[in-house]
Amino acid sequence: MLPCLLLFAVFVVYPLVSGVRYSFYNWNGTGPLIDFVGLRNYTYTLFDSQFAPQFWHAVEHNLYFFAISMVLTLVIGIGLAYLLLLQNERASRRYSVILMLPFTLPPVAIAYVWTVYLEPNTGVLYSALNTLHLDALAAPFLGSTTLALPTIAVITAWAGMGFPVLLFLASLTDIPQDMLDAAALDGAGRLRTLWSVLIPAIRPTILMVTTMNFIGAFGTFDLIYILEGTQAGPDYSTDVLGTLFYRTGFGGFGSTAQSMGLATALALLGFVIVVAVSAVLLRLQKRFAD
C-alpha cells in the first residue's frame, strides 16, 4: 500500500500542487518564482476581453468534439458490440482483435493514414467519390473551417472505437439469459430487444464510456497538433484547450501572453471542468449500478 501511495504522491499529487502554485505567478517556465500575481492569471483567462474569448471558444470546441465522438461511440460502438454478441465465440474474438487494431496505432501513424485518405484531389476518398460521380461531396475536410474539427473527431472516434466496443460486449454478455428469453416470449425482435432490454441493462457501462470520452475530449491534443499544427487551423477552427495551452505556454500570442503561469491556470480551469462533469457522471453511474 505504501509504495502505491508514494507513487501517487510523486506522479499525481506533487505535479498538481506544483501546477496550482505556478498558476499564481507570472512565470515563463524557467527561473525562480518571484512575480506573485495571485488570481490574476485566472481572471485574465476568464474575463480578459482578448484572451477570454479564445478560452471559451476552445471550451466550446472541446464540448463539440465530445458530442461528436460520444454519438459515434454510442451508436456504432453498441451496434458493433451487439453484432459481435450474435457471433460465435471464435468469430467474436477474431473481429474484436480487428476492431482493436486502430487503438494500438500511434497518433502519428493515424494522422498519416488519414492524411493520405483525405488529401485533396489525389486522396483515396476523393478518388472514390469521383469514381462514384459524387464530386459534390469531395470537400476539403481538413482544410475547411466547418469540417476540420468534426473530421478529426470522427478520426479520433474511429481510432478508439475498439475499447468501448469490448466494454459494451462484456456488459451485454453478462446480461442474464432469462431476460432475453422473456423478451423473445413477448415477441420482441432483435432491434426491439436491443433497444428495450439490452441498452437499459448496460446503462452503467454507457455512463462509464461517456465519462472516459469526456475526459478524452478535454485532453485531446495530439491529432490536432499533427494534422493542423499549433495554430489549430484553419483559422483556429480546431482550437481546443490543449492547443491553446501549448501556444500560451510556449508562444504564439506574442510576448504578453507567453506565460507558463497563465497556461497552468488555463489547464487547471479545464481540469476543474473535467472533474465536475466526471463527478456527476460517476454519481449517475453508481445510481444505475445500484
Side-chain angles (χ1 to χ4, degrees):
M1 187 65 181
L2 183 59
C4 295
L5 290 176
L6 286 175
L7 289 173
F8 183 79
V10 170
F11 293 105
V12 178
V13 177
Y14 178 73
L16 181 61
V17 173
S18 297
V20 173
R21 183 184 175 213
Y22 296 153
S23 69
F24 294 139
Y25 285 85
N26 181 23
W27 183 54
N28 63 6
T30 60
L33 299 171
I34 55 176
D35 189 5
F36 182 78
V37 295
L39 296 176
R40 191 182 306 168
N41 284 331
Y42 291 95
T43 57
Y44 185 84
T45 302
L46 293 172
F47 304 114
D48 181 78
S49 60
Q50 292 185 340
F51 190 76
Q54 298 178 63
F55 171 75
W56 293 114
H57 197 55
V59 172
E60 289 176 8
H61 283 168
N62 281 105
L63 292 173
Y64 184 43
F65 191 96
F66 162 71
I68 295 174
S69 62
M70 195 63 245
V71 169
L72 292 174
T73 301
L74 287 183
V75 175
I76 299 178
I78 294 177
L80 288 174
Y82 185 52
L83 291 176
L84 291 177
L85 185 69
L86 301 177
Q87 307 297 316
N88 61 55
E89 185 175 351
R90 185 175 181 182
S92 179
R93 288 182 179 177
R94 187 187 307 130
Y95 293 136
S96 297
V97 171
I98 294 174
L99 287 172
M100 283 297 294
L101 288 178
F103 189 74
T104 64
L105 294 176
V108 172
I110 294 171
Y112 174 75
V113 168
W114 280 96
T115 300
V116 171
Y117 270 87
L118 300 176
E119 202 278 326
N121 302 318
T122 60
V124 175
L125 180 61
Y126 291 91
S127 299
L129 291 174
N130 288 330
T131 302
L132 297 171
H133 303 289
L134 297 173
D135 308 57
L137 299 178
F141 292 97
L142 294 175
S144 165
T145 55
T146 56
L147 295 177
L149 186 62
T151 299
I152 296 175
V154 170
I155 295 173
T156 303
W158 166 82
M161 186 64 72
F163 187 62
V165 168
L166 292 185
L167 292 177
F168 291 138
L169 178 61
S171 294
L172 291 173
T173 306
D174 287 339
I175 294 176
Q177 184 61 37
D178 55 353
M179 291 178 63
L180 303 178
D181 294 339
L185 288 174
D186 290 339
R190 288 182 174 177
L191 287 179
R192 182 68 177 175
T193 301
L194 174 65
W195 181 256
S196 301
V197 179
L198 299 181
I199 290 179
I202 63 170
R203 279 182 299 190
T205 303
I206 292 175
L207 284 169
M208 182 174 67
V209 171
T210 302
T211 306
M212 294 167 59
N213 258 288
F214 188 82
I215 296 172
F218 271 76
T220 186
F221 171 75
D222 44 16
L223 273 180
I224 293 176
Y225 175 78
I226 297 168
L227 291 170
E228 304 291 357
T230 59
Q231 300 302 315
D235 194 23
Y236 299 104
S237 61
T238 58
D239 200 19
V240 292
L241 287 178
T243 48
L244 180 60
F245 167 84
Y246 187 94
R247 292 198 307 278
T248 306
F250 299 101
F253 288 124
S255 57
T256 56
Q258 184 176 340
S259 167
M260 189 57 72
L262 178 62
T264 307
L266 184 157
L268 287 171
L269 289 171
F271 175 74
V272 169
I273 295 173
V274 170
V275 169
V277 175
S278 299
V280 174
L281 291 172
L282 289 174
R283 191 173 182 82
L284 288 174
Q285 180 187 345
K286 184 179 179 182
R287 177 180 299 178
F288 284 123
D290 294 339

